[in-house]
Amino acid sequence: MSWLVVLGVRYLLVVLFFPFSALDKIINFKGAVVQARELVPSRGAATLLILAGLATEILMPIGILTGVADRLAAFIMAGYCGVTALLWKRWWQPGDFRRSGDSKARNLFWDFLKNFSLAGGFLLLAFGLHAGDFGAFVAHPLASSHPYYEPAH
């Protein structure tokens, strides 16, 4: 029964991406490319960015949910969250952060922080809960954490 709790917690980490964001990219592919062109003017490069994002949003959550190379998948998802925050949640650009009332910058700021908070959750999966776990990740980045294994007592 405890494996269901582990699966549920892991799914809470990835549900934003798999299936929802990935599905949105598939259904609204042209709109996603238009959004990517805000950063890269080339349609081809923007399309490649969206395809890379789509692959990340499908493959990494599958790794996290199945426990197959889940630590590396979580590390990649943490990077994906950070890059997304820096490239698309640029709260410093609108210039209305300190304005009272509605503020585009403050709304972006909260999204920016949410992305980094989510990255922290992924890094806990990647690196573990103890200082020594980081060294294990660096030594064996493709290792699986075996999240559903229950050792005999």
Side-chain angles (χ1 to χ4, degrees):
M1 186 63 133
S2 62
W3 68 271
L4 278 174
V5 172
V6 173
L7 178 64
V9 169
R10 284 172 172 254
Y11 191 65
L12 284 175
L13 272 174
V14 301
V15 69
L16 171 67
F17 305 100
F18 184 75
F20 296 107
S21 183
L23 188 58
D24 183 56
K25 281 179 179 57
I26 292 168
I27 293 171
N28 187 27
F29 191 79
K30 289 180 183 178
V33 171
V34 168
Q35 183 182 19
R37 288 186 74 183
E38 294 173 10
L39 294 175
V40 289
S42 164
R43 180 165 171 60
T47 300
L48 287 176
L49 274 178
I50 296 305
L51 290 173
L54 184 58
T56 300
E57 291 180 354
I58 292 172
L59 297 175
M60 298 311 112
I62 288 173
I64 290 167
L65 291 172
T66 63
V68 176
D70 56 338
R71 297 175 70 181
L72 180 61
F75 181 73
I76 291 169
M77 285 303 296
Y80 184 73
C81 289
V83 168
T84 299
L86 291 170
L87 295 180
W88 276 281
K89 306 301 180 185
R90 296 175 287 188
W91 58 271
W92 54 90
Q93 283 188 327
D96 64 351
F97 187 80
R98 293 187 175 193
R99 187 179 73 187
S100 63
D102 286 339
S103 165
K104 183 173 181 176
R106 268 197 315 280
N107 290 339
L108 286 170
F109 178 72
W110 293 117
D111 287 343
F112 180 87
L113 285 182
K114 288 174 192 174
N115 273 42
F116 274 97
S117 293
L118 189 54
F122 284 124
L123 289 176
L124 277 175
L125 277 181
F127 298 152
L129 299 175
H130 307 285
D133 294 341
F134 177 74
F137 172 78
V138 172
H140 304 286
L142 293 175
S144 299
S145 69
H146 308 287
Y148 308 111
Y149 171 73
E150 292 186 43
H153 296 348

